């Protein structure tokens, strides 16, 4: 496989490194010391800097003020952001914006995307459903309503399509749990299911009537929200009822999370190499001991496997290229390696750092908390192995 990146993708990485070079991982309170969320808001200074360098519109077309790059470029930038624990909704906002441009109505895209690219709007998405185990779209229902809704004149449904009739819209009811950055987002993308069982994606302003937020806190100390929707009305253009939209967005979110795991793991292994090269026992750096070198080498292999599977998955969702399995198979393999790999990397780092790794004045414990949150959001590797097995059964190879 040739994972050589284009000049434009490499330029995006260089721009990201320049922006993140001024970000310190300990810019906010430690999750081990904060009684609740580590901060009430995102890192606004960093968010504005990302907007100024056009990194928020990376995957948007020039028509909407973007650079016109693909999800691979976004994953490259996310990889850099994780190395400094950047507290911004870069993944969620860019992923939702890309899905809106790809599948949404032109009027909605023209209204939201230029402002999102300039950092004036923050977008987020609820991808965990009610409890995080069932498909997210099953947690919210979308039913059509019409001009006569509530008066008995019409139920608003088009008898041929099952969608809303002219002059009508949709009503959303349900819950999405653990929605990142919801309290500061302007629009929340909510996966839902229609009466026919089709998955759809609704774009809902945070301040829309019927939307309520309940605070939650992640393992990494960041604010999450339980988003409740009670008879929330959305316009027809605000609900994307196009086949494949939610599946594609979910794959992009997952692949982006794998990119975060890779970047975090690479930084943690670099910290471990630096520390073990300085720390001496019996007059020698502990990095020269065979037991230490073997553990570090194993984690390096984990990272290289995470990297190869990540770029394979990102390439599949960025192109229309076929393969022996659907793109979901490549995403599942990336999730298997990222979920287990990031956990093994931080556990080995803590072990090789000894007691120093638990010092709250040293940033390793922050990376450990973020890694655990990434692992939880990806889910257990065994579940992805089962999904991969189902795909292999449905698409026999050879």
């Amino acid at each position: 496989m040739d994972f050589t990146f284009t000049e434009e993708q490499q330029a995006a990485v260089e721009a990201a490194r320049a922006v993140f070079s001024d970000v310190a991982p300990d810019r906010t309170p430690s999750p081990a010391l904060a009684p609740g969320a580590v901060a009430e808001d995102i890192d606004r200074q960093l968010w504005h800097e990302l907007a100024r360098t056009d990194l928020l519109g990376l995957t948007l077309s020039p028509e909407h003020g973007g650079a016109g790059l693909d999800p691979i470029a976004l994953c490259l930038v996310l990889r850099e952001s994780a190395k400094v624990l950047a507290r911004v909704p870069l993944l969620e906002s860019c992923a939702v914006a890309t899905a809106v441009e790809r599948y949404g109505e032109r009027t909605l895209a023209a209204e939201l995307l230029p402002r999102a690219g300039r950092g004036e709007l923050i977008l987020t998405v609820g991808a965990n459903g009610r409890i995080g185990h069932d498909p997210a779209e099953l947690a919210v229902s979308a039913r059509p309503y019409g001009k006569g809704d509530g008066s008995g004149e019409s139920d608003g449904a088009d008898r041929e399509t099952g969608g809303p009739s002219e002059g009508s819209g949709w009503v959303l009811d349900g819950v999405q749990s653990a929605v990142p950055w919801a309290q500061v987002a302007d629009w929340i993308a909510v996966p839902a299911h229609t009466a026919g069982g089709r998955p759809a994606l609704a774009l809902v302003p945070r301040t829309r009537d019927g939307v309520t937020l309940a605070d939650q806190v992640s393992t990494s100390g960041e604010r999450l929200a339980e988003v409740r929707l009670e008879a929330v009305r959305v316009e027809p253009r605000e609900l994307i009822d196009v086949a494949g939209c939610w599946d594609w967005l979910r794959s992009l979110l997952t692949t982006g999370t794998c990119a975060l795991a890779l970047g975090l793991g690479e930084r943690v292994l670099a910290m471990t190499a630096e520390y073990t090269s300085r720390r001496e026992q019996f007059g020698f750096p502990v990095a020269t001991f065979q037991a230490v070198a073997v553990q570090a080498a194993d984690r390096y292999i984990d990272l290289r496997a995470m990297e190869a599977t990540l770029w394979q998955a990102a390439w599949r969702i960025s192109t229309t290229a076929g393969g022996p399995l659907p793109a979901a198979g490549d995403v599942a393999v990336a999730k298997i390696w990222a979920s287990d790999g990031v956990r093994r990397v931080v556990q080995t780092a803590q072990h090789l750092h000894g007691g120093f790794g638990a010092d709250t004045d040293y940033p390793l414990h922050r990376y450990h908390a973020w890694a655990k949150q990434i692992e939880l959001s990806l889910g257990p590797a065994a579940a992805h192995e089962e999904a991969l097995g189902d795909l292999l059964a449905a698409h026999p190879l050879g």
Side-chain angles (χ1 to χ4, degrees):
M1 291 178 286
D2 182 8
F3 291 136
T4 303
F5 301 113
T6 66
E7 291 184 5
E8 292 80 6
Q9 291 166 343
Q10 292 172 344
V13 173
E14 293 303 317
R17 287 175 178 167
V19 171
F20 295 131
S21 63
D22 294 330
V23 179
D26 56 358
R27 180 181 288 188
T28 55
S30 164
L33 303 177
V38 295
E40 293 296 309
D41 198 3
I42 65 173
D43 188 336
R44 292 285 176 176
Q45 179 182 347
L46 177 57
W47 187 250
H48 295 319
E49 189 64 18
L50 289 168
R52 186 188 67 80
T53 52
D54 297 327
L55 289 174
L56 297 183
L58 199 65
T59 56
L60 299 179
S61 66
E63 175 187 356
H64 296 119
L69 300 185
D70 56 18
I72 295 175
L74 175 60
C75 288
L76 284 165
V77 174
L78 289 169
R79 179 188 189 179
E80 299 302 318
S81 75
K83 294 178 181 179
V84 297
L85 305 182
R87 298 187 53 261
V88 288
L90 181 62
L91 169 58
E92 295 81 8
S93 198
C94 289
V96 173
T98 307
V100 170
E101 180 170 64
R102 187 182 179 108
Y103 294 99
E105 286 195 8
R106 294 181 61 85
T107 56
L108 181 65
E111 177 184 336
L112 298 183
L113 301 189
R115 298 185 63 196
R118 295 193 298 267
E120 299 169 2
L121 285 180
I122 294 177
L123 309 176
T124 191
V125 55
N128 297 306
R130 182 182 292 271
I131 58 174
H133 298 293
D134 297 324
E137 65 271 19
L138 299 182
V140 176
S141 64
R143 57 183 173 83
Y145 76 88
K147 292 180 178 179
D149 187 52
S151 63
E153 296 178 19
S154 170
D155 66 0
D158 186 307
R159 303 305 180 191
E160 294 184 2
T161 66
S165 58
E166 185 177 357
S168 59
W170 298 88
V171 176
L172 305 178
D173 288 284
V175 175
Q176 290 288 343
S177 184
V179 180
W181 318 107
Q183 293 89 343
V184 298
D186 299 286
W187 290 69
I188 303 173
V190 179
H193 65 278
T194 64
R198 300 190 312 276
L201 185 69
L203 275 294
V204 184
R206 174 175 51 85
T207 55
R208 181 70 55 86
D209 289 344
V211 177
T212 57
L213 306 182
D215 282 353
Q216 296 175 319
V217 181
S218 72
T219 302
S220 59
E222 298 299 335
R223 291 180 78 192
L224 305 174
E226 180 184 77
V227 178
R228 291 189 171 273
L229 303 107
E230 299 180 5
V232 177
R233 295 196 175 193
V234 295
E235 302 173 11
R237 68 175 188 144
E238 294 173 342
L239 188 135
I240 305 174
D241 187 19
V242 178
C245 174
W246 169 238
D247 289 338
W248 186 86
L249 175 56
R250 180 173 53 196
S251 294
L252 178 55
L253 290 168
T254 301
T255 306
T257 304
C258 293
L260 294 174
L262 175 62
L264 186 149
E266 288 176 329
R267 179 61 190 128
V268 166
L269 189 59
M271 291 169 61
T272 304
E274 293 167 6
Y275 176 77
T276 55
S277 296
R278 296 193 309 267
R279 178 76 167 90
E280 292 189 358
Q281 286 185 353
F282 311 111
F284 296 94
V286 297
T288 63
F289 299 166
Q290 186 178 34
V292 173
V294 167
Q295 291 183 69
D298 285 343
R299 301 296 78 83
Y300 177 82
I301 293 171
D302 278 336
L303 290 173
R304 296 291 68 79
M306 290 166 64
E307 183 177 20
T309 55
L310 163 66
W311 300 131
Q312 174 69 14
W315 174 71
R316 285 297 303 276
I317 66 174
S318 298
T319 67
T320 58
L325 291 178
D330 295 293
V331 174
V333 173
K335 290 164 72 175
I336 291 168
W337 278 101
S339 181
D340 270 359
V342 73
R343 171 177 50 80
R344 288 194 291 257
V345 169
V346 294
Q347 285 181 344
T348 297
Q350 288 283 13
H351 175 65
L352 296 182
H353 274 81
F356 191 60
D359 188 343
T360 54
D361 290 330
Y362 186 66
L364 182 59
H365 75 286
R366 297 173 183 270
Y367 286 92
H368 199 156
W370 276 61
K372 179 56 66 173
Q373 180 61 34
I374 289 173
E375 180 189 357
L376 292 172
S377 65
L378 286 171
H384 311 320
E385 291 166 354
E386 183 178 351
L388 181 60
D390 292 340
L391 286 170
L392 287 169
H395 302 82
L397 303 180

